[in-house]
């Protein structure tokens, strides 16, 4: 569904992503793991069109999205949940959700959009209880739910999730990960998941890629990566016996 080929991304002279190729099949959760500064967020932000690659190509559902503007990438069916959630704090929960459907405004979709807001509240009941409350007063976990709900309001076929577990208590981040699985299983969503918490990410993903200093250094099924000694040592916090 998503195919990246030899993608290069620069910030002025900083070569943040180096000839990265990866793909995500329809209905998969694919984890992109790696340490600080590996280039994970840069890659996601380029897929959503907010950054431009300077080499290589990006295709989504057969369409070349390499040079598409962000709003056209959203319209094509890709929605990003940004790192640190970035909800609109002074606005109410419900207005944040409505903004997620901004592209579909004026399309005589009012009833449809209200119905979708109700579905978000069914998935995250706490958001329904706080619908009039300003988003900035929500807890970190609730803001993460809102950021996911807002992304869903664009009716995506693919979600790009940037560190959804960041800064959350373990039980809360488990709950967010369970919802990600539910989005794949119940709604057929395809997910590219960036996570520093490799253990949680590989537990729910079908496949994964490991990124270091701008490059993909390893790829495989979640089982293969979980059994890989380098991954265990570097990302799963396991002591590996010397051979
Ligand atoms: P983390 O897990 O810490 O968020 P990451 O894997 O998402 O890390 P990126 O944020 O994509 O990594 O950063 C990749 C590289 O690009 C880093 O060396 C970073 O310093 C650099 N970088 C990121 N944003 C900018 C920017 N706006 N200007 C210049 N360099 C940047």
């Amino acid at each position: 569904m998503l195919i990246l080929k030899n993608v290069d991304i620069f910030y002025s002279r900083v070569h943040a992503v180096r000839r990265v190729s990866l793909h995500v099949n329809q209905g998969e959760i694919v984890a992109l793991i790696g340490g600080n500064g590996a280039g994970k967020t840069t890659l996601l932000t380029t897929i959503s069109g907010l950054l431009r690659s300077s080499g290589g190509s990006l295709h989504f559902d057969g369409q070349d999205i390499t040079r598409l503007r962000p709003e056209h990438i959203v319209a094509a069916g890709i929605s990003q949940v940004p790192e640190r959630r970035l909800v609109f704090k002074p606005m109410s929960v419900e207005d944040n959700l409505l903004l997620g459907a901004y592209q579909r405004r004026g399309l005589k979709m009012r009833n449809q959009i209200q119905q979708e807001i109700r579905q978000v509240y069914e998935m995250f009941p706490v958001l329904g209880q706080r619908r009039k409350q300003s988003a900035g007063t929500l807890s970190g976990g609730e803001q993460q739910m809102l950021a996911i709900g807002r992304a869903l309001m664009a009716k995506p076929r693919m979600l790009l999730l940037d560190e959804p577990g960041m800064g959350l208590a373990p039980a809360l981040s488990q709950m967010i990960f369970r919802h990600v699985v539910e989005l794949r299983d119940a709604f057929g969503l395809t997910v590219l998941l960036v996570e520093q918490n490799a253990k949680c990410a590989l537990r729910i993903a079908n496949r994964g890629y490991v990124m270091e200093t701008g490059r993909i250094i390893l790829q495989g099924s979640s089982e293969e990566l979980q059994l890989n000694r380098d991954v265990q040592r570097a990302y799963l916090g396991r002591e590996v016996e010397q051979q």
Side-chain angles (χ1 to χ4, degrees), residues 184-237:
R184 177 196 58 190
D185 294 347
F187 302 98
L189 268 186
T190 304
V191 178
L192 181 56
L193 166 68
V194 160
E195 248 312 318
Q196 285 222 6
N197 186 339
K199 206 179 275 184
C200 287
L202 291 176
R203 207 174 283 149
I204 65 162
N206 303 93
R207 291 187 300 114
Y209 292 86
V210 181
M211 245 184 130
E212 262 179 28
T213 54
R215 295 178 201 280
I216 302 284
I217 56 150
L218 262 179
Q219 57 177 295
S221 69
S222 293
E223 293 75 23
E224 283 163 354
L225 292 178
Q226 281 169 313
L227 291 172
N228 180 289
R229 287 175 164 252
D230 293 332
V231 174
Q232 290 179 354
R233 197 180 296 117
Y235 301 109
L236 299 177

Side-chain angles (χ1 to χ4, degrees), residues 148-169:
I148 293 174
R150 184 184 56 188
L152 293 176
M153 290 300 297
K155 279 270 168 219
R157 282 174 296 136
M158 175 163 201
L159 264 192
L160 308 176
L161 283 169
D162 199 348
E163 308 239 11
M166 186 195 266
L168 302 185

Side-chain angles (χ1 to χ4, degrees), residues 11 16 35-42 83 163 196:
Y11 294 103
N36 288 118
K40 307 179 299 296
T41 296
T42 302
E83 194 175 10
E163 308 239 11
Q196 285 222 6

Side-chain angles (χ1 to χ4, degrees), residues 30-215:
V30 170
L32 185 58
I33 60 177
N36 288 118
K40 307 179 299 296
T41 296
T42 302
L43 198 59
L44 281 202
T45 312
T46 304
I47 297 168
S48 51
L50 293 163
L51 283 172
R52 279 278 156 90
S53 60
S54 51
S57 64
L58 297 90
H59 285 80
F60 178 67
D61 245 358
Q63 182 184 6
D64 188 346
I65 59 165
T66 315
R67 303 265 155 241
L68 276 195
R69 292 162 60 90
E71 60 271 30
H72 295 138
I73 291 180
V74 173
I78 299 180
S79 238
Q80 183 173 7
V81 181
E83 194 175 10
R84 291 173 284 114
R85 3 266 188 221
L86 302 182
V87 294
F88 297 100
K89 292 188 173 172
M91 295 173 67
S92 71
V93 165
E94 190 140 318
D95 285 344
N96 267 271
L97 292 175
L98 280 170
L99 264 186
Y102 183 75
Q103 287 228 333
R104 295 186 290 145
R105 71 196 184 284
L107 295 175
K108 299 199 177 135
M109 304 274 295
R110 213 160 155 220
N111 289 342
Q112 172 75 23
I113 288 169
Q114 286 304 329
Q115 165 70 17
E116 288 164 18
I117 287 180
R118 281 195 291 277
Q119 285 171 356
V120 171
Y121 292 156
E122 273 167 32
M123 177 167 251
F124 302 117
V126 69
L127 296 182
Q129 290 153 20
R130 288 161 206 239
R131 53 200 285 266
K132 299 277 175 218
Q133 198 169 311
S134 60
T137 62
L138 299 178
S139 72
E142 290 159 359
Q143 287 188 24
Q144 186 63 66
M145 296 173 208
L146 180 56
I148 293 174
R150 184 184 56 188
L152 293 176
M153 290 300 297
K155 279 270 168 219
R157 282 174 296 136
M158 175 163 201
L159 264 192
L160 308 176
L161 283 169
D162 199 348
E163 308 239 11
M166 186 195 266
L168 302 185
L172 210 47
S173 72
Q174 302 282 343
M175 194 265 267
I176 295 287
F177 285 119
R178 275 200 302 278
H179 280 301
V180 174
V181 173
E182 187 186 334
L183 287 171
R184 177 196 58 190
D185 294 347
F187 302 98
L189 268 186
T190 304
V191 178
L192 181 56
L193 166 68
V194 160
E195 248 312 318
Q196 285 222 6
N197 186 339
K199 206 179 275 184
C200 287
L202 291 176
R203 207 174 283 149
I204 65 162
N206 303 93
R207 291 187 300 114
Y209 292 86
V210 181
M211 245 184 130
E212 262 179 28
T213 54
R215 295 178 201 280

